[in-house]
Amino acid sequence: MIVDVSKKILIVGLGLLGGSYAKVLKRFGFHISAVTLEQSSIDYALKEGIIHEGTTELDADIIGSADLVIFALYPHVFVEWIGQNQHLLKSGALITDVTGVKSSIVYKIQDMLRPDVEFIPAHPMAGREVSGVENSTGEMFRSANYIVTPTEKNTPEAIETCIELGRLLGFANVTTLSPEEHDEMIGFLSQLTHCIAITLMTCNDKENMEKFTGDSFRDLTRIARINDLMWSELFITNKEVLLNQMDLFLDQFTKLKTMLQTEDVEGMREMMRHSTARRALFDKK
Amino acid sequence: MIVDVSKKILIVGLGLLGGSYAKVLKRFGFHISAVTLEQSSIDYALKEGIIHEGTTELDADIIGSADLVIFALYPHVFVEWIGQNQHLLKSGALITDVTGVKSSIVYKIQDMLRPDVEFIPAHPMAGREVSGVENSTGEMFRSANYIVTPTEKNTPEAIETCIELGRLLGFANVTTLSPEEHDEMIGFLSQLTHCIAITLMTCNDKENMEKFTGDSFRDLTRIARINDLMWSELFITNKEVLLNQMDLFLDQFTKLKTMLQTEDVEGMREMMRHSTARRALFDKK
């Protein structure tokens, strides 16, 4: 379906990600419309030629004419939108999303969705430290991962279309994982990582530390500047998985602390060699 | 003293740091000699014009003619060297170091040192992910901190000379701290940070994670590639301070975990806002 540029694409939520999707897809020739909260976002996107049309209303024409709808909303807002407005969607429409947690959202949406509309979930693992349609850019997709997380309810066609969407957007890697595999991976690589950064940033408020700060500390706390509304919601919606990852980290950290207490130098060196060897896997290829 | 380029400088330990000191100081016109373990380091440094003379022996002439001696050794090797070889130093010589921990080394050295030789401790907070004299460069000092950690035994002249040395080397910031203040700062900003990185890198060995790794995880684990011999020694020699910093981190991490368990969203958001505000202090000026 997606390769047919006569199809209409609707973006719901025209922020950083929604705007970046619009920008890239419009260049391919698709008709792009947007529904979002702020008129200023619509005005900006129209002025910049990022979208063809947009509205802050629940415009039945715009919503009802879209063949592909991309939801770029906070998790609970996405669920509420579907609950309240799914009657406005076109029969046969395909919908997808950008939500950073999957299990707690995907089954809920698929279970409540009309049978003539299909939801194929995806997570574009891209972001910036700034937000809003004004900062949108396809550049951030170029070295990033796009993960499709289908369930048993999805058709092969929808999965293929969603994979193709990721490729069109220019992602470096397009993969599929189950919602559960996705959540475990993101719980470790992204959410635990943010938990550590905000903990390090707030565990010692001694003054003047910044005068002596080198690159190591800056690297570990870059993501400690965090959108509290979004991340607290992402943590809660992946609660059990994240708690498990936090426990893995706590166990290992406590093991290191015990080795230091008992001056188990060989144990510490072994852990450092393990760390060094494993880190090599994660170098950018 | 230091401004007088007729004085002779000896580097003991011609690795990455020792070599970088030699490289920068030789350009000012000082006579630079080196004592180190490997003949290949001496050969390289002579060929590249980084030093005037060097030896792998305990050469009484070379050691005994130096006015300023810079020790760029592992902490325990530095202590052993002074214990065994201080009789070779010139009367009136000034010695300094590059050791990354202070309290556990500084008093030990000063207590055992001959009364006619003065030790003024310093920590150049610069490094690279590579080692050896072949990788030495003054560039790494340019955005880095140089910290002099004098004690009551130091003379104002020695402190001033050491500060001047840091400026000559080209460090962005040259400061003084007590050995105890230094160790607390380094325990938090550098050692705790490395503990976290190696823990994150080794707490979950699930396969294929690297396929989905983004910049956040890479940033937090860049320093997880670590020299196990050096860092285990640095941890042990700052043990009590580092254990305290690890406890501060553990308490805060456990607090976050409890907030997630109890779904205390407002508590998590408050911690994230605190983190965001505090991180702003640490932006590079």
Side-chain angles (χ1 to χ4, degrees):
Chain A
M1 179 201 106
I2 191 77
V3 289
D4 179 357
V5 295
S6 72
K7 300 290 180 177
K8 289 186 165 184
I9 297 179
L10 167 67
I11 314 279
V12 182
L14 197 64
L16 176 71
L17 267 173
S20 301
Y21 271 54
K23 225 171 206 175
V24 176
L25 295 172
K26 187 159 173 290
R27 279 193 218 117
F28 285 102
F30 294 100
H31 182 275
I32 309 288
S33 55
V35 176
T36 201
L37 275 182
E38 300 289 336
Q39 185 60 40
S40 58
S41 305
I42 299 290
D43 293 343
Y44 177 87
L46 284 171
K47 185 174 65 109
E48 296 292 319
I50 298 171
I51 59 173
H52 291 97
E53 57 180 344
T55 173
T56 58
E57 311 290 316
L58 286 168
D59 186 307
D61 283 344
I62 288 182
I63 297 169
S65 64
D67 302 293
L68 174 66
V69 187
I70 296 159
F71 287 89
L73 302 172
Y74 278 37
H76 80 277
V77 181
F78 177 31
V79 173
E80 281 170 21
W81 199 101
I82 295 296
Q84 291 165 15
N85 308 314
Q86 61 169 307
H87 63 277
L88 297 172
L89 295 166
K90 180 178 179 172
S91 184
L94 184 65
I95 73 177
T96 187
D97 71 335
V98 303
T99 319
V101 287
K102 287 301 176 206
S103 310
S104 62
I105 300 296
V106 167
Y107 301 108
K108 208 180 275 177
I109 299 276
Q110 286 190 338
D111 285 349
M112 70 162 86
L113 199 63
R114 287 160 43 189
D116 60 335
V117 172
E118 180 167 354
F119 170 46
I120 174 73
H123 178 198
M125 291 178 65
R128 299 182 69 189
E129 282 157 79
V130 288
S131 61
V133 64
E134 299 80 5
N135 291 300
S136 59
T137 166
E139 288 300 314
M140 65 181 175
F141 302 151
R142 293 227 184 145
S143 60
N145 288 293
Y146 181 89
I147 303 168
V148 182
T149 62
T151 72
E152 289 183 353
K153 290 201 174 180
N154 285 112
T155 60
E157 294 72 29
I159 298 171
E160 199 44 56
T161 299
C162 198
I163 289 172
E164 207 168 336
L165 177 65
R167 295 209 180 105
L168 278 179
L169 289 165
F171 280 88
N173 300 297
V174 179
T175 352
T176 64
L177 288 177
S178 71
E180 293 73 19
E181 288 170 326
H182 168 275
D183 287 350
E184 192 190 340
M185 181 272 292
I186 216 75
F188 175 65
L189 288 177
S190 170
Q191 295 183 332
L192 175 62
T193 305
H194 280 77
C195 286
I196 289 169
I198 63 175
T199 300
L200 178 59
M201 199 66 249
T202 57
C203 74
N204 185 338
D205 273 351
K206 200 172 156 68
E207 288 185 359
N208 293 322
M209 288 288 197
E210 65 276 12
K211 288 188 190 160
F212 304 101
T213 302
D215 289 340
S216 308
F217 186 82
R218 284 208 178 85
D219 278 355
L220 262 83
T221 56
R222 186 178 59 81
I223 55 173
R225 186 173 291 184
I226 191 169
N227 176 333
D228 57 294
L229 191 62
M230 183 173 84
W231 282 92
S232 58
E233 183 168 343
L234 291 174
F235 285 2
I236 295 277
T237 47
N238 201 27
K239 178 179 162 181
E240 294 309 323
V241 172
L242 178 53
L243 285 172
N244 282 340
Q245 299 297 329
M246 290 179 92
D247 281 335
L248 288 178
F249 180 86
L250 272 177
D251 288 351
Q252 186 76 346
F253 194 79
T254 305
K255 198 175 142 196
L256 176 59
K257 192 186 143 194
T258 304
M259 292 192 291
L260 178 57
Q261 264 165 338
T262 59
E263 303 199 5
D264 175 6
V265 174
E266 196 35 56
M268 286 197 290
R269 291 187 61 188
E270 175 57 35
M271 183 169 161
M272 290 176 186
R273 286 192 294 266
H274 176 190
S275 172
T276 300
R278 191 156 163 75
R279 181 60 177 78
L281 280 180
F282 289 78
D283 280 344
K284 272 192 176 170
K285 294 294 180 284
Chain B
M1 181 199 104
I2 191 76
V3 289
D4 178 359
V5 295
S6 71
K7 300 290 180 178
K8 289 186 163 185
I9 297 180
L10 167 67
I11 313 278
V12 182
L14 197 64
L16 176 70
L17 267 174
S20 302
Y21 271 54
K23 224 171 208 175
V24 177
L25 295 172
K26 188 160 173 291
R27 279 194 219 117
F28 285 102
F30 293 100
H31 181 276
I32 309 287
S33 56
V35 176
T36 200
L37 274 182
E38 300 288 338
Q39 185 60 42
S40 58
S41 304
I42 298 290
D43 293 344
Y44 176 87
L46 284 170
K47 185 175 64 106
E48 296 293 319
I50 297 171
I51 58 173
H52 290 97
E53 57 179 344
T55 174
T56 59
E57 311 291 316
L58 287 167
D59 186 308
D61 282 345
I62 288 183
I63 297 169
S65 64
D67 302 293
L68 174 66
V69 187
I70 296 159
F71 287 89
L73 301 171
Y74 278 38
H76 80 277
V77 181
F78 178 31
V79 174
E80 281 170 21
W81 200 101
I82 294 296
Q84 291 165 14
N85 308 314
Q86 60 168 310
H87 62 278
L88 297 172
L89 295 167
K90 180 179 180 173
S91 183
L94 184 65
I95 72 177
T96 186
D97 70 334
V98 303
T99 319
V101 288
K102 288 302 175 206
S103 310
S104 63
I105 300 296
V106 168
Y107 301 108
K108 207 179 276 177
I109 299 276
Q110 287 191 337
D111 285 349
M112 70 162 87
L113 200 62
R114 287 159 46 188
D116 61 334
V117 171
E118 180 168 354
F119 170 45
I120 174 73
H123 179 199
M125 292 179 65
R128 299 182 69 188
E129 280 156 82
V130 289
S131 61
V133 64
E134 299 79 7
N135 290 301
S136 59
T137 166
E139 287 300 313
M140 64 181 175
F141 302 150
R142 293 227 185 143
S143 60
N145 288 293
Y146 182 88
I147 302 168
V148 182
T149 62
T151 72
E152 289 183 354
K153 290 203 174 179
N154 285 113
T155 60
E157 294 72 30
I159 297 171
E160 199 43 56
T161 299
C162 198
I163 288 172
E164 207 169 336
L165 177 65
R167 294 209 181 105
L168 277 177
L169 289 165
F171 280 88
N173 300 297
V174 179
T175 353
T176 63
L177 287 178
S178 72
E180 292 72 20
E181 287 170 328
H182 168 276
D183 288 350
E184 193 189 339
M185 182 272 292
I186 217 73
F188 175 66
L189 288 177
S190 170
Q191 297 184 331
L192 175 62
T193 306
H194 280 79
C195 286
I196 289 168
I198 64 175
T199 300
L200 178 59
M201 200 67 249
T202 58
C203 75
N204 184 339
D205 273 353
K206 201 171 156 70
E207 288 184 1
N208 293 322
M209 287 288 197
E210 65 275 13
K211 287 187 190 160
F212 304 101
T213 301
D215 289 339
S216 308
F217 186 83
R218 284 206 178 86
D219 277 355
L220 263 83
T221 57
R222 186 178 59 80
I223 55 173
R225 185 173 292 183
I226 190 168
N227 177 332
D228 57 296
L229 192 61
M230 183 173 84
W231 282 92
S232 58
E233 184 169 342
L234 291 174
F235 285 2
I236 296 277
T237 46
N238 202 28
K239 178 177 161 181
E240 294 309 323
V241 172
L242 178 54
L243 285 173
N244 282 341
Q245 298 297 328
M246 290 178 90
D247 281 335
L248 287 178
F249 180 86
L250 272 177
D251 287 352
Q252 185 76 346
F253 194 79
T254 305
K255 197 175 143 196
L256 176 59
K257 192 184 142 193
T258 304
M259 290 191 292
L260 178 56
Q261 265 166 336
T262 59
E263 303 198 4
D264 175 6
V265 174
E266 196 36 55
M268 287 196 290
R269 291 187 61 188
E270 176 57 35
M271 183 170 160
M272 290 175 185
R273 286 192 294 264
H274 176 190
S275 172
T276 299
R278 191 156 163 75
R279 181 60 177 79
L281 279 181
F282 289 79
D283 281 344
K284 273 193 177 170
K285 294 298 179 285

